[in-house]
Structures are given as C-alpha cells and as structure tokens.
Amino acid sequence: MKFSAALFASIVLGSGAAEAFTAGVRRSAKVSSVSLRETISEELGTPCEDECALDSFPNLPPSVHPGVVTGQAMLDLLNHAKENGYAIPAVNCVSSSGINACLEAARKNDAPIIIQFSSGGSQFYGGKGLDNKNYAAAIAGAISGAFHVRTMAEQYGVPVILHTDHCAKKLLPWVDGLLAASERYHAKHGEPLFSSHMIDLSEEPIEENIEICKDYLARFAKIGMLLEMELGITGGEEDGVNNEDVALEDLYSKPEEIFQVYDELTPISNMFTIAAAFGNVHGVYSPGNVKLEPKILTRAQAYISEKLGDKAPADKKPVNFVFHGGSGSDVSDIQEAIGYGVIKMNIDTDTQWSYWEGIKNFESKFHDYLQGQIGNPEGADKPNKKYYDPRECMRAAEVNTVQRLDQCFADLKCTNVLGLGEVKEADNVLGPRRGGLPV
C-alpha cells in the first residue's frame, strides 16, 4: 500500500520536521505538479512496502521517487546534486548480481545512484551464447537489465537514473535499438524505458559530434530522455576501446569547445550533460601517471557565464559536467571537480576489482572445502555443496562491492541525501531453500 513521504517523515524526523517537510511539498506543488505514474509493483502486483511505498523522499524534490527516474524528476535530482554539492556515482554493471550490489549500497548510504550498461556489458548481460549481429544481443541484454533495474530499484526504495555508457559512432545502432524500445515504452507508460544515453563521438570532428548529438537530443526530448555527450578523449582502456596512446592535448577540453556544445544544444533541450576532458583516464595507474586539471571545468563555467551575460544562472555554473575515468583519482581532485559543476562520476574499474576480490577472498578462506564435491578437513566423506553453491561466492563479491561503493559515496559527498535514515537489516535467515545462504 502506498503511503506519503510526509507520513514517513513524521516517523523518521518527528512531527515538527514533518510539518516543515509537508509544507515544503505543498509549496513545490504550486509551481511543479508531480505526474501520476504506475509503478512496476503496481503494474505487476509485486509486494511494495516500507520505502518502496513512498511517493517521494523527505530531503529531495517531490518529483523524485523510488525506482527509475526520468524526465523532470531526473532533472530535479541532478539539480539537487549540483545545488547541494554532491555527485552521483554511476556504476557499470554486467549482471543482476552487480545491479543488486549497487542498489544495496545506495540504500545503505541513503543516496541515489546511476546504474549504466556499456555495449559490451549489455551483450554479456544477454549472454555470450547469443549472436550479436546488428547488436541484437547487446540490445536485448540492455533491455533485460533495464527491466531488472526498474523492478528492483523500487524494492530497495532508492531513486535510480538508468543510463547507457560510451556509444561511439560504430555503436549507434545499439543505442538506436534502445531508443526505439524507450519510445514504445513511453507510448504505453508515459516515460522512457531508460533515463538517458551517452553518445560518445569525441573521436570525430567536433562539428560532426555536435550535429549528430543535436539530432539525438531532439528525439530524446520528445520522450523526456537526457543526452550525455563527450568532448575531448578519456585516456586509458575500457570495454575494448583503447585510448592509451592518444595525443596529450586531446585529454583536455577547451572552454570555447564546451561553449559551442552548450550554445548549440540548449535551444533544443536543457536535458543534456557534458563529459568534458580534463586529463581523465580509464583504469587505475600508478600515482603520478594521471594529471587531472579540474580547473578546466571552472574556467569553462566562467567563460560560458560571461557569454550568457544576464541569462547566466546565479551560481555561474550553467553546465552539468560528468567525470569519466574516476577510478583511482585523488579524492581532492574529485571533490574540487564537484565544486565546479560535476554531478555524475563514472565507476567501473574499482568495482570490477572489488567484485573479483570478494570471490578471491572467499576462495582463500574456504580453499580446502572447494577442491572437490566430497572431502574436506572435516572428513573424506564430508560434502562441500554448501561451499561451492554459487550464491556463496557471488554474495561475497556483492558484500565486498558494497563496501567499496561506501567509499565512492563518501568521496562524492553523496551520503544521507534521501532522508530515510539507516537501513534495517534484511530478514534473510530461513535457510538456502528459502533464500538464506548455506554458510
């Protein structure tokens, strides 16, 4: 059963704070009505209690709700991040297990999260046994992942931006397939399947980059989707794209280029972000090998604000920036960039390692129980099924990833954002046949 955020606030915050919160909702409702929407749980009849049943959150704009947010709700969330000095972690996922770890970490940190798929990750989600001709497996895999996120984000009671990562020119048919799916979803549900897509044409001439992005943004705007575009090149290697030998000057965007993008996209829609290059590199490298220059972002904000004159926003930060290649970056650089208008930071390499490390540590701990189906230090006839049950090592990977994401949320100053308070411990103790873990 649905219950209001005001009622939740009275439980968590006390009656006085709840009255103030309710008044704030009423004030906001005067200037921006919140559209009614059917949730996945309502559509399918799945259980929806506690945070899942909230219509909004005590500390966020009233349009932002549990589950996948799109359109104005997504913009309100991103604007809240910018105004309150935090960035939202955007984690690449390749499995339902990885998605669940992200959602668990978001609720634990009382925060929103961005879950995103690359083309390769989407193909893997669909299954490597599927033929990927014309990106069929990647399209199907991303759509499958999207429905998993939509179903489970509500259950975890957190707002999620559902995004796809780098899409180079040759990969545009992949996004075309996903966009078509979102258009059909929008026709039935009043919102797109995905919140946003990234079009990465940074290796193309800037004029071509902008023109193609304009075409996509016009189509996105019709259904309330956001476009992320890239200027300059993120160094390093990720998902089969190798930019380790890119020219140094291409790692740093120029204010004039960023203004050119802003100036040409804004008349179409304000629903876009810019992944500007300021020395970003995918992957983790030895200290000193990556030289970030976050001040490129503040110089661009000042340059564009000067161009806009009286039309510049009061905070003189007209651009919403995205931080790519964040794994292994110095926290001071990350937080400096947030101060210059970064509202999203991508995370992939660090969570790839954390997931593997969880499995590695599990194997090390129970090594002698994982060498055969029968026989362990307790006896030659003792079974090992409860140790090699794949749920065990996968859960160890999830727990380790949640712990790593705790650090990410803290580094991005994205904690205690929703106003829900501490999460209660899950009741999952009924044994392996009822969902509990054997060990």
Side-chain angles (χ1 to χ4, degrees):
M1 182 180 71
K2 288 281 183 185
F3 60 98
S4 69
L7 175 59
F8 187 87
S10 69
I11 297 171
V12 175
L13 305 174
S15 59
E19 290 173 4
F21 171 67
T22 304
V25 170
R26 292 197 189 104
R27 286 194 297 272
S28 299
K30 293 178 182 178
V31 296
S32 176
S33 61
V34 180
S35 62
L36 297 176
R37 46 178 278 280
E38 186 178 42
T39 65
I40 290 286
S41 58
E42 289 169 337
E43 182 179 359
L44 301 180
T46 52
C48 185
E49 301 175 355
D50 301 325
E51 291 96 337
C52 174
L54 287 173
D55 290 318
S56 58
F57 297 97
N59 292 351
L60 290 179
S63 62
V64 182
H65 52 79
V68 171
V69 292
T70 63
Q72 189 59 48
M74 171 178 49
L75 280 184
D76 290 345
L77 176 57
L78 295 177
N79 288 335
H80 186 271
K82 195 174 188 179
E83 292 165 4
N84 290 274
Y86 66 91
I88 305 173
V91 188
N92 284 62
C93 293
V94 300
S95 70
S96 58
S97 173
I99 291 170
N100 293 348
C102 289
L103 296 173
E104 182 179 347
R107 180 59 190 91
K108 181 181 177 184
N109 285 275
D110 195 21
I113 194 167
I114 299 170
I115 291 176
Q116 58 191 29
F117 306 120
S118 66
S119 59
S122 298
Q123 182 186 0
F124 185 84
Y125 201 101
K128 296 295 283 188
L130 279 180
D131 191 285
N132 198 36
K133 183 179 180 181
N134 298 322
Y135 301 102
I139 292 169
I143 291 171
S144 175
F147 277 102
H148 181 87
V149 173
R150 280 191 165 272
T151 302
M152 299 312 300
E154 289 179 8
Q155 296 297 318
Y156 281 86
V158 295
V160 175
I161 294 174
L162 181 56
H163 181 67
T164 59
D165 203 7
H166 294 270
C167 176
K169 190 175 181 179
K170 66 180 181 180
L171 294 174
L172 287 175
W174 168 56
V175 162
D176 289 340
L178 301 181
L179 178 52
S182 274
E183 288 170 335
R184 289 191 293 272
Y185 192 89
H186 182 273
K188 292 183 178 180
H189 299 87
E191 66 172 346
L193 179 61
F194 288 86
S195 308
S196 54
H197 294 298
M198 180 187 186
I199 305 295
D200 178 6
L201 304 176
S202 55
E203 294 184 345
E204 313 303 327
I206 187 170
E207 292 78 12
E208 182 180 5
N209 184 351
I210 293 174
E211 284 303 314
I212 293 176
C213 284
K214 286 167 65 176
D215 290 341
Y216 276 96
L217 182 59
R219 192 171 165 189
F220 285 11
K222 294 177 182 178
I223 57 173
M225 289 185 69
L226 179 141
L227 167 74
E228 178 184 324
M229 69 88 65
E230 180 160 348
L231 269 180
I233 295 176
T234 303
E237 189 275 336
E238 181 181 59
D239 205 34
V241 178
N242 194 320
N243 290 325
E244 292 178 312
D245 297 324
V246 70
L248 186 62
E249 61 268 20
D250 291 333
L251 297 178
Y252 300 94
S253 298
K254 301 174 181 63
E256 296 83 0
E257 295 172 335
I258 298 172
F259 173 67
Q260 185 179 353
V261 172
Y262 181 89
D263 188 50
E264 295 201 38
L265 294 188
T266 300
I268 300 171
S269 171
N270 65 341
M271 294 188 66
F272 68 90
T273 58
I274 300 177
F278 54 101
N280 324 53
V281 175
H282 287 135
V284 176
Y285 297 86
S286 299
N289 286 355
V290 178
K291 184 165 179 58
L292 291 175
E293 295 287 352
K295 286 184 171 55
I296 285 175
L297 304 181
T298 193
R299 288 198 290 269
Q301 299 280 29
Y303 180 86
I304 296 171
S305 293
E306 183 178 357
K307 290 285 187 181
L308 294 175
D310 294 339
K311 296 181 180 179
D315 64 0
K316 304 299 181 183
K317 291 186 283 190
V319 180
N320 286 332
F321 283 120
V322 173
F323 188 159
H324 279 237
S327 295
S329 298
D330 190 89
V331 176
S332 63
D333 286 333
I334 292 171
Q335 296 187 350
E336 182 182 359
I338 292 171
Y340 301 149
V342 165
I343 43 82
K344 168 184 183 269
M345 189 178 89
N346 285 13
I347 301 161
D348 188 13
T349 304
D350 285 345
T351 46
Q352 286 177 338
W353 173 257
S354 67
Y355 198 93
W356 157 245
E357 185 181 49
I359 294 173
K360 178 174 70 74
N361 292 345
F362 177 84
E363 194 283 332
S364 177
K365 180 178 180 180
F366 296 108
H367 177 83
D368 292 341
Y369 294 82
L370 296 168
Q371 303 310 300
Q373 289 184 289
I374 303 293
N376 60 49
E378 298 174 23
D381 60 344
K382 297 293 184 180
N384 295 316
K385 178 175 170 53
K386 67 180 182 179
Y387 296 98
Y388 63 76
D389 184 322
R391 288 173 293 179
E392 283 293 345
C393 65
M394 289 173 68
R395 180 55 185 162
E398 292 171 4
V399 169
N400 206 56
T401 298
V402 169
Q403 292 173 351
R404 180 61 185 87
L405 285 172
D406 287 344
Q407 180 184 334
C408 296
F409 279 100
D411 291 348
L412 297 175
K413 299 192 281 188
C414 186
T415 58
N416 303 314
V417 171
L418 309 182
L420 300 180
E422 291 186 10
V423 63
K424 65 180 182 181
E425 187 174 351
D427 183 9
N428 190 20
V429 295
L430 300 177
R433 293 188 182 276
R434 295 181 175 86
L437 294 176
V439 176

